[in-house]
Amino acid sequence: GEPLPEPPKPITVSDPVAPTEQEAFLQAEQEQLEKDPEGPADPEEEAMQDALGLLAGMILATPSADSGDGRGSKAKSRRSRRGTGKISGRKLPEISRHLSTGIELISRGHKRGAAREIQLALESGADSPPVRFVMGLLLKDIGDHSTARDHLIASLGEPRLALGANLALGRLARAREDMEEAAHFLLEALRMADTLSVGAEQTEQLNKLYETIKASQTDTESKGVTRIVENALRFLSGPEWLKRIRSTRKQLETQQEGEEVVPIAEMLVVGGSDRAILAMERIDELVARGQQTSAMEEAMLALSQSPGYLPLHTRMAEMMIHGGRVDKGVKKLITIGETHAARGEHERSAEVMETVLKHAPVNLDIRKRLIAHLMSIGRLREALEHYLEMAELYKQMAQSDEARQALAEALELAQSTGADKERLKQILHEMGDIDLARLDLRKGVEVYGEIRQLDADDEVARANLVDLNLRLGEEAKAAKELDGYLDLLVRKGQSAKALETLEELVRDHPGRQALHARLAEAYRAAGRKADAIAQYDALGEIQLDAGRKKEAAKTIKTILKLDPPDVEGYRELLRNIEAGG
């Protein structure tokens, strides 16, 4: 067919306080419901009645030929033309006559004669969306489809007529077997109808989803396009169309978790979806009455007619799970999720996988697939949480390598998403715990070093860096880390803890010069002379054993300054060291 047209701008004089498309349509629907409580007619027929009403309003507002050129008449004429088109003042009576005759002929069923009169009105200057719409439907009904299409496209700018116009255009395209164009207009009609079933806060989201569906239409195989056309026509035709829309929306809301809205159009890619919707209502009624067996039988029957309708499969899986057949229900849900994924519906697939995990939380394969889906649709923070849950499950199963790998992937994701410092520290600490348990000391040093870079005041990281470097024999690095740790404790007013830490380190790592030296100095600063002398004495022996006589002599001189009980013995030791040096 021809390239699909862009929706035209309204051929009207703009009204600065004109209602939105949805507001205008909802207002018209409310008026129709007040007239007919059973529900509005077919959208195309209803739009025809709205258009005729607008034309009648134009006729009533048109001044008579002998009304003169008074300012009041001109003002009235301007008001009557607001939103209906630009009409030459000289031809208003002529236009009014043609429109009146046309409306009369339509009421009598004389469509050809009516079309001639409306055409004359158009030629006289009555070029407005309502006139174009009426002309388009008349030409459609008498078989002039090409010209009818042009008029209907020109009427799309009027919100009160747009749904009916799109439906009529879809029917025209269907009649000439242009399924791609038919799908385009019918999906737009369905979008407008669908927005009537959701709140204002969901309308924008729903509109975007329909744009995605329409954009992907070109990639749909011909059978799929034909199915969309036939299902949309059946769905929007007849006096029950609005009731059908609202009933379907209610069904979708019962199937959907969270705030994500699902377009009704998604259902129309499946043959027999309208019958499946009715079956779902019956199934819900049976479940509510506790008749589980009958509900499952009803589901099986509906499935034989609509085997590809995934919400029906989902309802069956839920019944299996609630009936105690958890494994079978979970397997069915997994299949449903995989089907959504194969269709590229990763949002829906992720939702199904999350449901699976509620019933089978230790299914790590499903959790991995869920993470992949969440990442593909940009829900990265949720993916991060599942990485952490997966790591915890691996730890519970004593699979430390797998747990650390999950944490490493979580850390990379957290860093790429700009996670806060506390979340990064949490992941790194969990990695460090695994490294300590596996005695992987060097990886532990790397991890706790990253934590210290993030937060220099993290006491656990500081303490572990001292311990790990000592265990690796990196005494100089350990001493540097220890000085930083002790300084942190002192700044925090935890001098007592600093001293306890030194004492514990000396017990755990005896013979380390850096530890004895710092503990001796701490005792001296605290006024514990005897303890300080004992530590300096031990330090001196370590230095002598290592052949570091100059350092040993310096240590002995420090002891002498403390006036030890055996002062002569220390002096003698110092003379021997210096003589030997």
Side-chain angles (χ1 to χ4, degrees):
E2 304 174 40
L4 296 181
E6 292 292 328
K9 296 180 180 179
I11 314 173
T12 62
V13 178
S14 61
D15 186 338
V17 292
T20 65
E21 175 185 285
Q22 188 181 27
E23 289 170 343
F25 199 91
L26 284 172
Q27 181 179 356
E29 289 301 323
Q30 184 60 39
E31 292 171 358
Q32 180 66 30
L33 282 171
E34 290 171 0
K35 295 176 188 174
D36 179 11
E38 297 300 318
D42 179 296
E44 182 182 317
E45 296 176 9
E46 183 184 347
M48 182 62 156
Q49 296 303 314
D50 287 340
L52 291 173
L54 291 170
L55 296 191
M58 291 169 60
I59 294 167
L60 290 173
T62 300
S64 61
D66 59 355
S67 62
D69 295 325
R71 296 176 62 184
S73 296
K74 289 183 179 179
K76 181 178 181 182
S77 176
R78 283 196 297 272
R79 289 195 298 271
S80 72
R81 295 198 301 270
R82 178 173 290 178
T84 60
K86 296 179 179 179
I87 302 173
S88 170
R90 291 185 296 105
K91 294 188 176 183
L92 284 175
E94 182 182 343
I95 290 170
S96 177
R97 184 173 66 254
H98 290 309
L99 292 179
S100 297
T101 304
I103 292 172
E104 177 65 22
L105 290 171
I106 290 170
S107 68
R108 295 179 182 179
H110 301 316
K111 294 184 179 180
R112 288 187 182 277
R116 284 194 295 271
E117 292 295 329
I118 300 300
Q119 179 61 38
L120 289 170
L122 279 166
E123 291 172 357
S124 299
D127 189 358
S128 69
V131 178
R132 290 293 201 107
F133 182 82
V134 171
M135 189 64 182
L137 281 199
L138 288 171
L139 293 174
K140 168 180 170 287
D141 291 344
I142 64 179
D144 188 353
H145 289 180
S146 178
T147 310
R149 179 181 183 273
D150 294 339
H151 284 292
L152 287 169
I153 287 174
S155 73
L156 289 172
E158 170 54 59
R160 288 165 290 185
L161 308 178
L163 173 52
N166 276 290
L167 181 55
L169 285 163
R171 285 169 170 161
L172 280 175
R174 171 68 182 83
R176 65 175 188 274
E177 297 185 355
D178 187 342
M179 292 302 185
E180 185 175 335
E181 178 167 311
H184 171 83
F185 285 116
L186 291 172
L187 281 171
E188 180 61 14
L190 189 63
R191 178 195 68 78
M192 297 182 66
D194 203 352
T195 57
L196 303 177
S197 66
V198 300
E201 68 282 357
Q202 291 182 309
T203 299
E204 183 178 355
Q205 182 186 7
L206 196 62
N207 287 337
K208 288 180 180 178
L209 291 169
Y210 270 94
E211 288 303 317
T212 301
I213 293 171
K214 286 192 287 185
S216 64
Q217 178 192 319
T218 54
D219 299 326
T220 307
E221 58 175 314
S222 59
K223 289 183 180 178
V225 173
T226 300
R227 188 159 53 239
I228 291 172
V229 169
E230 300 302 336
N231 285 346
L233 281 174
R234 185 166 56 249
F235 205 79
L236 292 172
S237 298
E240 296 289 315
W241 72 275
L242 187 55
K243 180 180 178 182
R244 197 178 301 122
I245 287 283
R246 289 170 175 165
S247 174
T248 303
R249 173 57 54 200
K250 183 178 179 182
Q251 279 293 324
L252 288 173
E253 288 174 353
T254 62
Q255 300 160 22
Q256 189 72 15
E257 294 185 6
E259 299 180 357
E260 185 77 17
V261 65
V262 179
I264 289 175
E266 281 194 10
M267 302 167 53
L268 301 187
V269 299
V270 182
S273 57
D274 52 345
R275 294 190 296 273
I277 293 166
L278 295 174
M280 294 276 280
E281 293 179 355
R282 292 193 294 272
I283 291 167
D284 289 345
E285 291 173 3
L286 291 169
V287 169
R289 294 202 297 264
Q291 299 176 6
Q292 299 291 335
T293 302
S294 298
M296 186 60 77
E297 291 173 354
E298 182 71 32
M300 293 297 292
L301 178 61
L303 200 60
S304 66
Q305 298 174 337
S306 305
Y309 188 55
L310 293 184
L312 186 55
H313 285 278
T314 303
R315 190 58 50 86
M316 292 176 69
E318 291 170 352
M319 287 192 288
M320 290 176 183
I321 292 170
H322 294 151
R325 294 182 291 167
V326 177
D327 288 344
K328 286 187 176 181
V330 165
K331 287 179 181 178
K332 191 169 187 66
L333 284 175
I334 291 172
T335 302
I336 294 167
E338 290 173 343
T339 303
H340 280 302
R343 293 178 180 177
E345 300 165 354
H346 295 293
E347 285 275 5
R348 303 298 301 280
S349 181
E351 290 167 6
V352 174
M353 297 302 182
E354 286 175 337
T355 302
V356 170
L357 290 177
K358 290 178 182 178
H359 302 289
V362 297
N363 192 322
L364 293 168
D365 182 56
I366 292 298
R367 199 173 293 276
K368 289 177 183 177
R369 288 189 233 175
L370 173 57
I371 289 171
H373 289 318
L374 291 172
M375 292 185 69
S376 70
I377 57 181
R379 292 163 59 179
L380 304 182
R381 296 190 185 280
E382 293 172 62
L384 175 59
E385 294 303 322
H386 282 288
Y387 264 127
L388 297 177
E389 290 179 27
M390 185 166 64
E392 185 60 32
L393 289 169
Y394 276 129
K395 284 195 288 185
Q396 291 174 9
M397 294 185 289
Q399 297 181 26
S400 59
D401 289 345
E402 290 80 359
R404 198 186 189 285
Q405 179 60 34
L407 288 168
E409 291 172 7
L411 178 64
E412 183 178 352
L413 180 58
Q415 290 170 333
S416 68
T417 57
D420 61 47
K421 181 175 72 175
E422 292 306 314
R423 175 48 59 92
L424 295 175
K425 284 174 56 182
Q426 173 201 347
I427 298 170
L428 286 165
H429 272 296
E430 290 188 32
M431 293 172 67
D433 289 343
I434 292 175
D435 292 336
L436 292 179
R438 295 189 308 177
L439 300 179
D440 194 337
L441 307 184
R442 296 202 178 276
K443 279 190 176 180
V445 168
E446 291 177 7
V447 168
Y448 288 112
E450 285 190 56
I451 296 173
R452 187 196 59 206
Q453 290 294 325
L454 282 171
D455 183 4
D457 290 350
D458 190 298
E459 294 183 28
V460 174
R462 288 282 194 178
N464 280 320
L465 282 170
V466 175
D467 181 68
L468 289 170
N469 276 296
L470 287 170
R471 291 161 71 179
L472 286 167
E474 302 283 355
E475 190 168 339
K477 292 180 180 178
K480 184 177 180 181
E481 295 290 351
L482 178 58
D483 289 339
Y485 181 34
L486 295 175
D487 180 64
L488 170 64
L489 294 176
V490 171
R491 282 191 289 108
K492 287 186 173 183
Q494 301 179 42
S495 299
K497 183 177 180 180
L499 184 57
E500 290 172 5
T501 298
L502 281 169
E503 291 173 336
E504 184 177 342
L505 286 170
V506 168
R507 287 194 301 270
D508 293 342
H509 304 278
R512 304 285 187 174
Q513 293 185 54
L515 300 182
H516 286 283
R518 283 160 177 77
L519 180 56
E521 184 60 31
Y523 280 145
R524 187 170 72 165
R528 294 170 59 176
K529 187 173 81 169
D531 291 330
I533 291 170
Q535 288 301 317
Y536 279 126
D537 190 273
L539 175 60
E541 289 184 11
I542 294 169
Q543 291 167 337
L544 286 173
D545 290 342
R548 305 171 71 169
K549 293 183 179 180
K550 287 185 178 180
E551 294 178 13
K554 184 177 180 181
T555 299
I556 300 303
K557 290 176 181 178
T558 301
I559 294 174
L560 289 171
K561 291 178 182 178
L562 293 174
D563 191 21
D566 187 15
V567 64
E568 288 301 325
Y570 283 108
R571 287 174 179 166
E572 180 66 24
L573 177 59
L574 178 60
R575 285 193 294 270
N576 291 335
I577 293 173
E578 291 176 339

